Amino acid sequence: MNTFRTLVHISLVFVGALAASAEDKLAATPPMGWNSWNHFADKVDDKTVRETAEALVSTGLKAAGYIYLNIDDTWEGDRDKDGVIHPNQKFPDMKALADYVHGKGLKLGIYSSPGPKTCAGFEGSLGHEEQDARTYAQWGIDYLKYDWCQQPPANVEQMKTAYSKMHEALAKTGRPIVLSLCQYGWNKVWEWGPSVGGNLWRTTGDISDRYAVMAEIGFNQNGLEHFAGPGHWNDPDMLEVGNGGMNEDEYRTHFSLWAILAAPLIAGNDLNKMTPYTVEILTNRELIAVDQDPAGKQGFRIAQEGPFEVWMKTMADGSKVVGLFNRQRTVEQMSVSFAQIGISGDAGVRDLWLKKDLGSFKEKYSAYVPAHGVVLVRITEK
Ligand code: GLA
């Protein structure tokens, strides 16, 4: 009996470990890709997606890790007499589109809502969860953003039920499909997101292409670092880099903060009209390595004095990535003391935007930080 119990226990642990590793594999590091909403909104169509697939490859974004090509709201058409969802006239053949995207070595994402209608008023998945999950799997979909839209306020149990239902429906298809929860951080989703199968969950309302909005979202993520890790990530919303509403220092702040936060890096600009500077930001390998660090530790704020904030992320190799963020409108000298980041001796400092080793420092590192800008360094104890 005891042996039997032990065996049952061992096999359960084994099955558990298998399940955990399969889920972790799906979003072992924060998902990277592109989404249509921030730039194209309801203008997204088959042609946009194909052109974006080509651009992901030709601009080097795919090589830098941007793999998911996600169609947001407004692709949905009607259901047929059997209840099967069909795309609208903007997407003549979703399966053919998925094949095309897969042919480029990319993955295709789609969007729906747990309610009857999506946020833009299109067909949602309520009552059709299993059917929709099967349709997505048949098309070859790899990622689903599931957005709580146009529904009466729900309590945490109702939300959990709705999200679990889709998670189970997706799991039943046997196709690995990343599940992105979008319900704006209501009911402290970070506390239960993983338990309903969420690989990432929005923690805030919608971002827009303005410094004030981006900064309010990004700098307010402090405290959520306890809830992120391999397979399950806080999502402060998609990137606005390259959309034109912020200056270069502000976009650098945006990208640096998202990297320190181990946030999903989902570009939201027109990839066919990028300035060299936009490409440089989005493909900065040293920043991407911070975001994608295998330890999956979300960074947090270690000091704040008015508009001056110092954030830190611990990397798998023990080094510390430190962001000196200046939220005021004029340049300012800022510093980080090594004691604050747990370094007692001398340390090597590398600037991740200049991509340059700055040498060895004692006790602290100081730098002039531009208005609304950042100095991002990786500090390694000697
Ligand atoms: C919500 C989401 C956005 C986008 C739109 C689409 O506002 O937060 O990211 O998906 O819906 O309608």
Side-chain angles (χ1 to χ4, degrees):
M1 183 62 188
N2 271 347
T3 322
F4 176 69
R5 258 207 219 134
T6 312
L7 278 176
V8 169
H9 179 72
I10 290 173
S11 55
L12 282 179
V13 169
F14 183 64
V15 169
L18 274 183
S21 72
E23 288 209 2
D24 287 353
K25 246 194 218 153
L26 206 46
T29 59
M32 290 178 66
W34 178 90
N35 173 294
S36 56
W37 189 255
N38 284 355
H39 183 82
F40 291 95
D42 62 344
K43 305 284 185 301
V44 64
D45 59 7
D46 182 278
K47 183 166 171 274
T48 315
V49 174
R50 286 171 192 259
E51 286 174 359
T52 302
E54 280 162 33
L56 277 164
V57 176
S58 66
T59 59
L61 261 75
K62 179 197 159 201
Y66 296 83
I67 292 298
Y68 288 99
L69 202 175
N70 296 345
I71 304 167
D72 207 278
D73 204 353
T74 79
W75 65 267
E76 309 87 342
D78 296 326
R79 294 188 182 278
D80 62 23
K81 63 175 179 12
D82 300 319
V84 176
I85 185 90
H86 293 273
N88 58 37
Q89 69 288 353
K90 294 191 297 167
F91 291 91
D93 186 340
M94 206 55 103
K95 168 101 180 64
L97 182 58
D99 289 346
Y100 179 83
V101 167
H102 292 152
K104 300 266 174 211
L106 300 163
K107 293 177 183 292
L108 188 64
I110 212 161
Y111 167 101
S112 190
S113 167
K117 293 285 173 207
T118 67
C119 294
F122 289 74
E123 191 66 23
S125 290
L126 182 66
H128 294 275
E129 293 82 357
E130 288 209 0
Q131 202 170 27
D132 286 358
R134 277 198 305 273
T135 303
Y136 303 154
Q138 278 160 13
W139 286 341
I141 297 295
D142 307 292
Y143 185 118
L144 173 67
K145 174 173 167 186
Y146 207 42
D147 193 355
W148 196 271
C149 300
Q150 308 201 22
Q151 292 197 79
N155 65 36
V156 63
E157 288 312 319
Q158 291 165 322
M159 283 197 165
K160 281 180 170 177
T161 305
Y163 279 106
S164 293
K165 205 173 205 170
M166 186 47 98
H167 168 59
E168 281 156 25
L170 294 173
K172 253 192 188 170
T173 69
R175 186 175 176 86
I177 299 177
V178 170
L179 179 58
S180 155
L181 275 45
C182 179
Q183 45 77 287
Y184 325 109
W186 290 336
N187 295 321
K188 297 190 178 162
V189 60
W190 40 88
E191 289 181 354
W192 50 268
S195 74
V196 298
N199 297 113
L200 60 157
W201 47 83
R202 280 271 294 277
T203 56
T204 75
D206 287 15
I207 197 168
S208 68
D209 189 20
R210 287 170 42 218
Y211 175 77
V213 177
M214 178 281 294
E216 176 162 347
I217 289 178
F219 291 112
N220 272 336
Q221 300 302 300
N222 193 47
L224 297 187
E225 63 276 8
H226 311 293
F227 303 98
H232 52 277
W233 308 99
N234 290 306
D235 173 13
D237 208 356
M238 305 169 294
L239 298 169
E240 292 284 6
V241 174
N243 277 331
M246 295 182 229
N247 67 32
E248 293 180 354
D249 283 320
E250 294 170 339
Y251 280 138
R252 263 210 278 227
T253 293
H254 184 9
F255 203 71
S256 302
L257 199 44
W258 264 236
I260 285 187
L261 291 170
L265 296 179
I266 308 291
N269 56 318
D270 183 349
L271 301 187
N272 280 293
K273 293 197 184 109
M274 290 195 282
T275 61
Y277 192 80
T278 298
V279 179
E280 196 189 313
I281 293 184
L282 289 174
T283 60
N284 182 319
R285 300 292 179 120
E286 301 196 28
L287 269 283
I288 291 172
V290 173
D291 182 81
Q292 297 287 303
D293 185 67
K297 292 204 169 120
Q298 179 173 327
F300 50 91
R301 181 164 50 224
I302 54 170
Q304 178 175 21
E305 267 183 60
F308 312 117
E309 301 199 17
V310 183
W311 286 62
M312 177 187 84
K313 178 181 183 347
T314 302
M315 302 289 281
D317 68 359
S319 66
K320 317 281 177 168
V321 171
V322 171
L324 304 173
F325 292 97
N326 173 7
R327 296 179 67 177
Q328 76 173 8
R329 287 167 189 275
T330 48
V331 64
E332 186 71 32
Q333 191 178 34
M334 294 181 65
S335 28
V336 56
S337 84
F338 292 168
Q340 268 177 314
I341 57 171
I343 290 182
S344 47
D346 291 6
V349 175
R350 180 171 176 83
D351 187 306
L352 301 188
W353 283 112
L354 298 176
K355 301 177 186 164
K356 198 174 149 200
D357 287 326
L358 303 177
S360 183
F361 291 78
K362 270 187 208 314
E363 285 171 25
K364 66 173 187 173
Y365 174 71
S366 306
Y368 284 96
V369 186
H372 286 184
V374 61
V375 167
L376 196 76
V377 289
R378 187 162 174 170
I379 305 181
T380 309
E381 189 158 14
K382 294 243 159 166

